[in-house]
Amino acid sequence: MGNVSSFNMRRAEMEDPPKKKMHKGESSASTAAEMIDDSKAFVERFSLLFDSSCFSDVRLRVGEQSYYGHRFILAAASKVFEAMFGDSSAWEESRQQEIRLVEEEACQAVFYDFLRYFYSASINMTTDKALPLLLLADKYNVQSLRNACVEYMMKHIEELPDKNKTLTWYHYSKLTGPEKLRDTCKNFIVSNFNVILDAADWVEMEREELVDFIGMSELCVESEKKLWEKVEQWLVADNNMDNCRDNVETIVPCMRFCKMTPTELLAIESSPLMPLFPDILKDKLAIAYRYHSLASNGIFLPTDQVPFRNYTSPMYGMRFPFELKNYANIPKIESRVCLSCQVPYLPSLEMETKKASRYAQFQVNFYPKGHFSTISLYGNFMGRQNDNVTLKISRQHVPVTVSPPHESKPYPPMLVEATLQLYSKKKELRFVGLTLTQTHIFTSKTPELVVDNVLDLARLKAEDSPFIVEGSLSGACFIKIQQVGDHLLEEDFCRVTAENSDIH
């Protein structure tokens, strides 16, 4: 079958395989055995057979395209083709001259690359091709290509929104694995949700996944208003309109409307969803308006306390950025990052009423080159140090009150969720490369939260450290006062909080 002479002509164009070089005075009889690697030429010879009629004994029909194939090559690369073409195969169609393979449209578009991989062991990969190729590798049990696709995905989770496919990859990996890809995708999504919100496949997110993400307090977004705008976009998208009521009933309760200002809440009343689902939206708005009404009178009920997310907008006053320049050369004793953080607790958020908000004072100390401290002993200063990258957060003893100035009461117990983020950069994308979250109840007896091993110091000091961008270490600390009140001192509550802290 096919034109043998044309194949031989193409083969003749290839370079001769490498030959072992003989040194002067050396005879072949006295030479020790030496491996000669001809793998490159070997692959090139097989590459010439790709989609060639020469020696072809089968044709594969995929969509409107037809490809010449060679059963022994297909069977050697794929367990599925091996079973299909085996002598004991019960699949009658496998003995036909042309076999029609039914593939999804996205997989049809990359089948040329997929089949060529069987002959050349190489592939031109992009973020658009990665998942369809992984689907084919899974379907036909081509383990080497599957591993290559996963490895590529792991390296390209951090991409600009126009090329970012992390949501789609997360959905697939959650259904079929691998777990490492799933976890890495999830960590990036939660810590860089602003990137995900602008990605092209945002409105294609599964409802269950959307509910999972917007139910998280560790979700990093600009503001609740920005999140709502994107959720509204998802709800009214054409692909989600068929189940619009179910979607609204499931998703809207996960939104934290009381973390919006009254002005932002008022804008929701003009949403295109309002006339369609007034029974759902009006109830959520009424609860949020009630929260702000009580807050403006200094009344904060424990049942009304809804956790903050990791909001980056300055309006919330909970994000404290830092930058340590010239990280590699700065002495350890000068490397400490010290942040004085005035954090509003039980705020009403509106600028005109913010004067009535109370503030708690925290001090954040971050030791990115290892922990050190000095103590005074008999008039002499002594130092203590280790190589643990340490985060220490202390609540100051004296409460800060804005108005009236004479009011100064001891701090009530506070449930605080503290998050440390370190930034990385890939091309033009600046993203969160590491997120660490811990929960702690600050009281007069427990005024300090210490996290000893934030990450391995060697990873920070490495020449290719992902966290050192243009010589600088940048990041931010979020301090979110999630609950306030004496109920936090109850034994059961403390136990549950400790368990949650361990999970983080």
Side-chain angles (χ1 to χ4, degrees), residues 403-464:
S403 177
H406 61 274
E407 182 182 352
S408 180
K409 297 180 181 179
Y411 279 131
M414 295 179 181
L415 172 63
V416 172
E417 190 175 275
T419 299
L420 175 70
Q421 292 183 341
L422 297 182
Y423 300 145
S424 298
K425 188 176 182 181
K426 182 178 180 181
K427 298 179 182 179
E428 298 85 14
L429 178 66
R430 181 179 171 89
F431 62 95
V432 177
L434 180 141
T435 298
L436 173 76
T437 299
Q438 289 284 321
T439 303
H440 184 73
I441 297 177
F442 284 90
T443 68
S444 57
K445 294 182 179 179
T446 57
E448 192 172 76
L449 166 65
V450 179
V451 184
D452 271 326
N453 292 300
V454 173
L455 78 163
D456 189 357
L457 180 59
R459 190 180 177 198
L460 264 181
K461 288 186 172 182
E463 290 186 5
D464 60 346

Side-chain angles (χ1 to χ4, degrees), residues 81-249:
F81 282 127
E82 180 184 359
M84 184 186 301
F85 298 137
D87 294 336
S88 60
S89 175
W91 192 44
E92 190 64 31
E93 290 85 345
S94 67
R95 290 165 176 74
Q96 298 177 359
Q97 195 63 38
E98 182 174 273
I99 300 174
R100 179 173 290 275
L101 302 176
V102 179
E103 308 295 348
E104 298 287 340
E105 184 175 345
C107 293
Q108 291 180 24
V110 299
F111 200 86
Y112 176 92
D113 302 274
F114 175 67
L115 190 60
R116 185 176 180 275
Y117 176 83
F118 286 26
Y119 293 80
S120 66
S122 63
I123 203 162
N124 292 320
M125 189 76 75
T126 66
T127 54
D128 290 327
K129 291 180 181 180
L131 183 57
L133 286 169
L134 179 58
L135 290 170
L136 290 171
D138 275 340
K139 179 177 179 179
Y140 291 96
N141 196 358
V142 185
Q143 193 62 40
S144 59
L145 179 58
R146 184 180 189 275
N147 294 339
C149 290
V150 171
E151 183 178 349
Y152 175 87
M153 291 171 161
M154 293 286 290
K155 293 179 180 178
H156 290 81
I157 288 173
E158 304 92 3
E159 294 288 345
L160 291 167
D162 60 332
K163 295 183 179 180
N164 197 288
K165 302 294 181 184
T166 308
L167 270 178
T168 307
W169 296 350
Y170 171 72
H171 176 67
Y172 181 77
S173 61
K174 193 177 73 168
L175 294 176
T176 64
E179 293 183 2
K180 188 175 181 180
L181 176 62
R182 178 200 65 196
D183 294 341
T184 305
C185 287
K186 182 178 180 180
N187 291 338
F188 178 84
I189 291 170
V190 172
S191 299
N192 299 274
F193 211 62
N194 286 333
V195 177
I196 300 301
L197 291 176
D198 292 330
D201 58 352
W202 155 247
V203 295
E204 298 173 11
M205 179 188 283
E206 295 291 325
R207 182 177 70 187
E208 291 73 17
E209 293 168 0
L210 178 57
V211 170
D212 285 344
F213 286 126
I214 65 175
M216 297 179 180
S217 296
E218 58 266 38
L219 197 68
C220 189
V221 291
E222 178 184 332
S223 65
E224 197 71 17
K225 176 179 179 291
K226 172 73 171 179
L227 180 60
W228 165 251
E229 289 172 352
K230 288 296 185 176
V231 168
E232 184 182 55
Q233 178 187 348
W234 187 96
L235 289 168
V236 300
D238 292 340
N239 57 305
N240 297 319
M241 284 301 291
D242 290 343
N243 300 304
C244 195
R245 171 162 283 276
D246 288 342
N247 291 337
V248 171
E249 289 178 343

Side-chain angles (χ1 to χ4, degrees), residues 280-316:
I280 302 172
L281 286 171
K282 285 185 177 179
D283 283 347
K284 286 289 291 183
L285 290 175
I287 294 171
Y289 282 134
R290 176 178 180 271
Y291 171 84
H292 286 290
S293 177
L294 292 173
S296 64
N297 290 282
I299 302 173
F300 305 97
L301 303 178
T303 55
D304 293 336
Q305 295 175 8
V306 178
F308 287 97
R309 308 184 195 275
N310 285 334
Y311 297 119
T312 61
S313 171
M315 175 184 72
Y316 294 91

Side-chain angles (χ1 to χ4, degrees), residues 4 26 66 71 82 100 171 185 194 204 244 261 269-270 276 284 299 326 346 364 372 390 406 426 430 472 492-493 500:
V4 178
E26 182 181 16
S66 183
R71 293 173 187 260
E82 180 184 359
R100 179 173 290 275
H171 176 67
C185 287
N194 286 333
E204 298 173 11
C244 195
T261 68
E269 296 186 25
S270 301
L276 299 175
K284 286 289 291 183
I299 302 173
N326 196 23
L346 305 176
V364 175
F372 62 86
T390 303
H406 61 274
K426 182 178 180 181
R430 181 179 171 89
S472 297
D492 289 343
F493 192 93
N500 291 336

